[in-house]
Structure formats: structure tokens, C-alpha cells
Amino acid sequence: MRNGIGVTVVLGVMAVLGIAGRAGAADDAAAVDLLAYDWSHLDGAVVAADGVRVSGLGRAIVPPADMADTPPTANPPINLRGPVLTLAGDFALTARLRLGTDGPPQARLTLYGRLPVIQDEWRQPGEAVTLAVKGDMLRLVVQHVSGERETYTQAWRPADSVTLALVRRGERLTLSANGEPMIAMPAPPVLASKRLWPGLDTDVGHTFTLESLRLRPLGEAARVAVTPATLVSTPPAPGGLRALAARNAPHLAIGTAVATNPLLGDPAYARVLAREFSMVTPENAMKFQFIHPRPGRYAFAEADAIVDFAEHNGMAVHGHTLAWGEALPRWLSRGDYSDGELREILADHIATVVGRYKGRVAGWDVVNEPLEPFGPELRRDSPWYRAMGADYIAFALRAAHRADPDAALYINEFACEERNAKSDALYRLARGLLADGVPLDGIGFQLHEDLTDDYRPVTAAAFRDNVRRFIDLGLAVRISEMDVNLHDDASTARLQQQAAYYASMLALARDIPAFTAFSTWGFTDRYSSLQDWWNPDGLGNGLIFDPALRAKPAYDALRRVLAR
Ligand code: XIL
């Protein structure tokens, strides 16, 4: 019998593989101990001698300002660097919980089969099953990809500890508490996913400890396998973008925004990333609402994963972003803080985040989008502006410089690529900061563009004409977030036009040594902020790899630019 053995296999990286199969039903020796895997990269959790202690972070996606009445969407942490489960046939998953004594008990354990797609304004929920204790109720919740949720609830008598067992037998899934059956339902399809990732969570103000978590197969035919998650590490593709740039345009990093869930959950995504790009920008993981979800409490796991991945693969990291008026948690945007307290909060935030990645993050978008969307005025609708007026910009740059004197500090802005009232204002802002001796190293030009019949994107010539004056101030410049939205028209003609457009901008950056990076805002249409939030199939088609990670004409056009 191969019961609960640990085998060491070598797959480029050392991995410990827990396999259990063909166990006698009651034979706990057949169980895999899931707490023996890594739980140290789970936000809100601390690994202690008595188990994994969880306290609620309230991590949530806050809707943008024009949807102020919409409540935030919970975005609980997932253990993407811990055990990955595969279940074939019947199984029992047993969790012993010590429940907090701070109010009615609350604990949630979720198994995700399909990871949520996270944007900072919305979230496709993925597919998961959750066991929850909430006061005097036990719950089983099935989250379907469609967004629908099924919830099964049963009253219980709360106790300080409880052993919950999730058992699948054939078509049936049951939840029992301390051996007593509580809920039964048809087994949801998510449990047949190739890989399942666990997550732990509770509400803000609550704590619990997961004292044990064991998985065992039930019956002859059943198999459960548990593997530790690993970070992909792949060398650059010899003829790929990153290798060509290293050879022919060494001043230029080839960058992209990166989303954490596909990075850790979709190896094909991670491989293309490492093969083709030399720099990553965390798309959302370093934004305030995610990395600083409670006053004074930081959640670094996702940003850490991106930085670790970049290091494994010899890539640089560009940090995004420190002082911005969006993606702010409600404790901050709706908190009743004095101007002095807000200064303190920003100073602490920058010192903590930049300090943590000192020497590992090459540059920062210290200030993001300081100007009104289409005008020359500074945006006033941020706590930072309210507390400090225009001075918040210098304040943030100085704080970042103190935390990491070697990091290159940027202001990042959109709709400033050509000469217009907004780029004039950005130019005056930069010139003024430099005149005051503020540590500003460069400007990021986002370059979010559309290609449709009734929209004329900025031309490379107009961009070249405008960027010159910033370079003449002694500043570095970067293309920071390029995408070329085709909406739903992915016709051959459009894809060719998109390719030519991408190429024109890269050629500009290739020929001007002050450009430090050419960075796109994601690389595959599968995970792109241009997707419709209400429809995973509404793609936008704005990036250089298609949803199946096949190179689009734009990719080939970029290669040709770099091959010269
Ligand atoms: C976008 C993210 O890509 C999305 O996931 C999110 O829903 C909205 O924000 N300018 C920026 C980026 O500086 O942070 C924005 O990122 C895109 C526009």
C-alpha cells in the first residue's frame, strides 16, 4: 500500500509529493497532512506551533469613486504557494479549528478550483467551495464560474473547537461537525478540478487557528495527490523580446504588468512571462487597498510572490504605485483622519512598502495619475491632496527616496503622450519639482490606446515631439502601460494595424536612450484589464499574446523592431 508516503521527485526543482491512495476508510495513516506544506505566504495568517493562526484582513476590491454606493467586493487571501490538491474519487478533508473567543466564531476554509481573475475594480469570482462557521451557523457555499452561488446552512451549537469534515462519496458531498452530519448536497464539479488551492479567511476583528488539516482518500479507487506549489523558472527565449532587447537595445527593459493569480496558478502564463520579458510591474498587488488593507497591517504575500518570481528569472521589478487617488481601502478613503494623520499614514506606507523591497525593486511609480483625466489641474479627490495640497507629490517622492535611495522614482500619467494642456501641466510639474531639488528620476507615459473606426490614437511622431522636452530636463522616460484596445474586432486587418502601432512606439523607445522601459499592461488577452468584467469572453484584444498565449502579429512586429 502506498499510504501517505512522501516521495521526493526532481523536476528541475526539488518537490515533495504527497500521494495517498487505496486506503482503508478509517485509516488515518493514509491521510496527507496539509499543514506540513507552506502556509507562510498567506496574507492574514501566521504559522505558529499550534497551527495556522488567521486574523481577518478585510481585503477587498473597492469600486471606483463614481460607484461610491457599491460595496467593496471581498478578495480573500489564497495560499498559492502552499499545498496544491488533486482529488480523484471519494475523499475526506478534515479540519480542526480552534475558534476565536472574540465574539461569535467565524472561520472560512475555501478550496479554489479556478482562481478568481482580480482586477482592482472588479473580480471574476472563479470556482470554489467554502466551509464556514459563522456564529451558530455552519455553511457550505459553492461558488460557480458564472458568478452564481449556492449556500447551504445548518444551525449548530458553537464550541471553542470543532472538527469539520468535508466528505465526498460518489455524487454526494457532506459536511459534518465533530462527527455529526450537518449538511449534504450534490458534489459540485469544482472538486474535480485538476488543481485545488486552499484559502483561509475570517472577518475583520475575528481570529481562528487551523490546528490540523488532513486529506485522505476513501475506498479502493480513490486517489488524492498533494504537491507543493513552485515558482516557475524559465530561461529567456533566444529569439524572444527580452533576449533581442538585451542584445540590440540594452538601455531598454521589456516589461509587462503581471497579475498574481495567473502567475502562481497558470504555469503557461508564467513561462511566457519569463521567456519574453525582462521587467514586471505588479498590476494590482502593490496598490494600497491590497497591500495595506487595514490600518497599520500590510499584506505582502502577493507582491512578494511577484518579486520572488522576478528574481528567480533574472527580471527587474517596477513598483506600482504609492501615492494615488484610486484603489484605496475604505478605512482610509472614508476614515476621519486629520491632515497630519494622513501625512503620517502616507509616510508610513511608503517607508514600509519601499523599505521592504529595498534593493529588489528597481523603480517606483511613486505618484500615479496626479492630474485630472483630461485637464491641466491636479486631481483633488485624493486623501493625499486633501491633506497636503500639491505638496503631497514632493512629500511622497522624498519619502520614497529616503526608503530606497537607489530606486528610480517616477510620476506615471496617462493622456500625456502628445502636446496638450495636460502634458504641458505635467511638464511644468516635473520642472518645478526638479528646480526644488525633489528626487524625481523619470516620467511614465501609460499609452493606453484604442484602435477603432472613430478613434485616432496618438502617433509615435507626436509622442516623440512631446517627450523630448521631458528628456531635456534630464529625466528618464518609460512607456509604462501600453495596450491597444481593439474591443471585439480582432479581424486580421485590425491585428495588423495593432502590430504596426505597437512597433512604431517600440521603435521610438529603441532609438532614444532616455527610454528605460517599454512596458505593456499585461501580455495575454486572457488576463487583461481590457476584458469586460461582466463577460469573461469579452476580451478587448489589446495585448500581444492571444487568450491561448499564442503570439499575435503585434508580438512578431515587436520582435522585428528589436532584431534591428
Ligand atoms: C488597472 C488594472 O489593470 C485593472 O486590474 C484595474 O481594474 C483598474 O486598474 N492606470 C494605472 C493602472 O495606473 O493602475 C490601471 O490598472 C490602469 C490605468
Side-chain angles (χ1 to χ4, degrees), residues 5-353:
I5 46 165
V7 190
T8 300
V9 292
V10 180
L11 290 165
V13 278
M14 293 285 268
V16 179
L17 184 68
I19 296 183
R22 298 198 278 145
D27 182 8
D28 196 52
V32 179
D33 173 9
L34 297 175
L35 290 193
Y37 291 77
D38 190 347
W39 291 80
S40 68
H41 293 97
L42 179 64
D43 284 322
V46 172
V47 180
D50 58 346
V52 181
R53 294 188 189 157
V54 181
S55 61
L57 283 178
R59 244 172 64 118
I61 300 172
V62 179
D66 57 352
M67 289 168 63
D69 294 336
T70 311
T73 308
N75 184 28
I78 309 173
N79 190 12
L80 293 174
R81 296 173 80 178
V84 185
L85 286 52
T86 309
L87 311 172
D90 296 348
F91 69 87
L93 176 72
T94 313
R96 195 170 70 238
L97 308 177
R98 190 151 42 70
L99 298 164
T101 45
D102 30 16
Q106 269 226 19
R108 293 185 284 278
L109 164 62
T110 300
L111 293 178
Y112 293 85
R114 193 191 287 212
L115 295 171
V117 175
I118 309 292
Q119 306 285 343
D120 68 6
E121 291 161 4
W122 53 267
R123 178 181 192 272
Q124 282 159 6
E127 200 178 13
V129 53
T130 298
L131 356 175
V133 178
K134 189 172 168 70
D136 54 7
M137 291 292 172
L138 294 178
R139 281 195 183 147
L140 249 187
V141 183
V142 180
Q143 173 73 59
H144 296 283
V145 214
S146 62
E148 257 173 282
R149 247 174 202 224
E150 283 172 76
T151 304
Y152 299 77
T153 306
Q154 174 66 50
W156 76 304
R157 187 174 322 177
D160 290 351
S161 347
V162 62
T163 298
L164 296 178
L166 185 71
V167 174
R168 179 173 68 197
R169 283 187 195 277
E171 300 299 297
R172 251 178 129 54
L173 186 68
T174 55
L175 177 70
S176 64
N178 298 326
E180 208 185 311
M182 304 296 284
I183 296 173
M185 61 170 290
V190 59
L191 293 172
S193 305
K194 274 195 266 168
R195 290 168 302 162
L196 290 153
W197 292 267
L200 299 173
D201 186 32
T202 182
D203 284 0
V204 171
H206 292 268
T207 59
F208 72 94
T209 302
L210 178 64
E211 293 180 328
S212 97
L213 184 64
R214 299 174 76 82
L215 176 65
R216 71 191 154 87
L218 299 177
E220 285 292 301
R223 306 288 294 163
V224 302
V226 183
T227 52
T230 49
L231 287 178
V232 165
S233 132
T234 305
L241 301 179
R242 126 176 226 196
L244 290 172
R247 196 168 337 124
N248 299 330
H251 63 286
L252 204 61
I254 304 298
T256 177
V258 167
T260 318
N261 285 0
L263 179 68
L264 297 171
D266 182 345
Y269 172 98
R271 281 193 295 268
V272 172
L273 176 63
R275 280 209 281 257
E276 298 293 342
F277 297 90
S278 58
M279 174 177 266
V280 294
T281 302
E283 181 172 6
N284 289 308
M286 288 180 169
K287 287 178 183 171
F288 205 120
Q289 65 181 353
F290 287 163
I291 208 165
H292 195 167
R294 300 292 311 145
R297 284 195 70 191
Y298 291 84
F300 288 121
E302 295 190 357
D304 284 355
I306 293 173
V307 176
D308 289 348
F309 177 89
E311 271 174 8
H312 272 308
N313 289 286
M315 307 161 89
V317 183
H318 184 79
H320 177 84
T321 174
L322 300 164
W324 189 26
E326 289 178 27
L328 298 172
R330 291 239 160 119
W331 67 263
L332 173 64
S333 58
R334 301 208 171 160
D336 186 19
Y337 295 106
S338 69
D339 294 352
E341 285 166 336
L342 286 168
R343 279 171 86 95
E344 282 296 298
I345 290 169
L346 184 60
D348 178 77
H349 181 81
I350 293 177
T352 306
V353 176

Side-chain angles (χ1 to χ4, degrees), residues 395-424:
F395 180 86
L397 287 160
R398 291 198 166 105
H401 185 67
R402 271 195 304 279
D404 186 353
D406 296 326
L409 307 183
Y410 285 81
I411 295 176
N412 188 47
E413 192 44 284
F414 69 97
C416 282
E417 289 78 15
E418 57 192 344
R419 282 180 190 266
N420 55 31
K422 186 173 178 179
S423 67
D424 289 351

